[in-house]
Amino acid sequence: MDKFVITGGKPLCGEVTIGGAKNAAVAIIPAVILADSPCRLENLPNISDVTIIVEILRQMGAVVKRVNKHTLDIDPTPIKTHVAEYDLVRNMRASYYLLGALLGKFSKARVSMPGGCDFGVRPIDQHLKGFEALGAEVSPIEKGMIDLKASELRGSSIYFDTVTVGATMNIMLAAVKATGLTIIENAAREPHVVDLANFLNTMGADVRGAGTDVIKIRGVESLRGVSYSIIPDQIEAGTYMAAVAGAGGDVLIKNIIPKHLESITAKLLEMGVDIEENDDSLRIVRTEPLHKCNIKTMPHPGFPTDMQPQIAAVLTVAKGTSIVNESVWENRFRYIEELRRMGVRASVDGRLAIFEGVEHLEGARVKAVDLRAGAAMIIAGIMAHGVTEIEDIKHIDRGYEDIIEKFRGIGAEISRSTSSPDSFAIAN
Ligand code: EPU
């Protein structure tokens, strides 16, 4: 039972380098299945979600060689199965990308229903609607398995009823080798949607319009293996920005694409933080008290839901009342119960959370209820007076590479400690 132990209350200072984007990597790795020769993927984040999806491909037959910490060579040509069983995929929400990739490759796919962070119902009806439009027959879900079969995948027009990252990318995967033209309307515009399109196009696909709400995909006969470098992680960068805003200090955040961070930058400026943008880095300085601010999460280019808990942790000490409106997920405020242990004054009403800024937070024993909630607990711990212990940190390891080392590098007092459940009982 690992936990993080943080002694908070000190400003952050120095430089931190951002890694490759988790949510791009977990789609691009399955996309390799579509290639007729090996691929080299660079700038992959070294996180457990990537390890899991790579292991799934390996168990399906792919030959994977590690070139260095952030580069893998993946030969998908030995993969002969279109099936991914529950034991393989249960720990990973993003394993749903195997549906699109296997369908695109073999015209059939059988994949167990995904796991992942729990913030309410996570339907995949729009994915299935898209696969059906391409000519796939979706069999009733049995024992948690989804079964797709098509005699031939044909391009089609698909309008999503809601803006969904997962379904947009999954339909791209299934459509790149379909016959004819596929048009996705009301598509998601996240940076990782564009990154997947760029990867597929480098392999020889014809995907246009990614980054807008209409994506057109003209099917091609075959895709070849290529070398490709994943974009920097927008949410990892935003997490360090939020930490500096919360704790105060002066930090240079390197290896980023400032355009991807615009909505986060805009809100931090509103809160009184100074931000200086360079080509591929930004400097963030916070010396004055924070102003209150209202946030509404939206699909890109709106404020990302995956930054909602981290920014909320910062708002807990902003003078006045701040309102956070979570419009993407129905239940992404479970972490607030944990923040209350640290002296936070907050109430939740459906999709709204209301924060009354307090003078300072007090260290406490808390849990990471999911990945981004865990990041918010680290930020709160760094901001707080005294010692904070964070349990259930496996969620954080899913999505943040070397988080302890990176926070230590900018002056945070944080360590990982391993103890048995019994020693917890004695300590309490
Ligand atoms: N939705 C539907 N039907 C569908 C698909 C989605 O109603 O078929 C709804 C969802 O219930 C949700 C909204 O549409 O209310 C958006 O869901 P989306 O499909 O965009 O989410 P996702 O693809 O499952 C990805 C990220 C999440 C991130 C969301 C929103 C990955 C692996 N996950 O999930 O990231 O919150 O997009 O941006 O890319 C994280 O990294 O911490 C994380 C949870």
Side-chain angles (χ1 to χ4, degrees), residues 263-311:
S263 60
I264 302 165
T265 300
K267 283 293 155 184
L268 291 174
L269 290 174
E270 214 177 305
M271 290 161 72
V273 175
D274 291 324
I275 296 174
E276 184 188 297
E277 283 181 7
N278 309 310
D279 288 347
D280 61 356
S281 67
L282 63 77
R283 181 174 168 208
I284 172 159
V285 181
R286 206 273 284 172
T287 47
E288 300 298 320
L290 293 163
H291 311 310
K292 70 184 172 71
C293 174
N294 296 335
I295 307 268
K296 182 173 185 182
T297 66
M298 305 272 277
H300 192 80
F303 190 89
T305 171
D306 293 343
M307 275 300 299
Q308 182 261 104
Q310 301 92 309
I311 206 85

Side-chain angles (χ1 to χ4, degrees), residues 5 17 63 70 78 85 107 118 131 137 183 190 209 216 252 267 304 309 311 328 343-346 361 380 398:
V5 182
T17 302
V63 176
H70 299 122
E85 296 285 357
S107 295
D118 171 18
F131 295 139
E137 196 181 305
I183 301 176
E190 268 64 6
K216 294 186 178 167
L252 184 70
K267 283 293 155 184
I311 206 85
V328 177
V344 164
R345 286 178 56 204
L361 307 184
R398 278 187 39 220

Side-chain angles (χ1 to χ4, degrees), residues 4-16:
F4 288 160
V5 182
I6 304 170
T7 306
K10 284 195 306 192
L12 300 174
C13 208
E15 293 183 4
V16 61

Side-chain angles (χ1 to χ4, degrees), residues 163-213:
V163 179
T164 143
V165 173
T168 301
M169 307 232 271
N170 234 341
I171 299 314
M172 282 163 60
L173 292 170
V176 274
K177 291 177 71 184
T179 316
L181 181 68
T182 297
I183 301 176
I184 304 175
E185 288 182 83
N186 201 21
R189 292 178 279 170
E190 268 64 6
H192 29 293
V193 174
V194 180
D195 208 32
L196 176 63
N198 287 341
F199 175 63
L200 293 168
N201 286 342
T202 311
M203 292 204 291
D206 183 356
V207 181
R208 294 173 197 209
T212 76
D213 58 3

Side-chain angles (χ1 to χ4, degrees), residues 22-23 26 93-94 96-97 117 119 121-127 162-167 190 192 305-306 328-329 332 371-372:
K22 167 180 94 78
N23 289 346
V26 296
R93 176 83 193 157
Y96 55 41
Y97 290 128
C117 285
F119 21 75
V121 185
R122 297 188 70 171
I124 57 163
D125 56 302
Q126 299 300 305
H127 303 233
T162 186
V163 179
T164 143
V165 173
E190 268 64 6
H192 29 293
T305 171
D306 293 343
V328 177
W329 295 112
R332 206 174 191 176
L371 168 61
R372 308 303 174 185

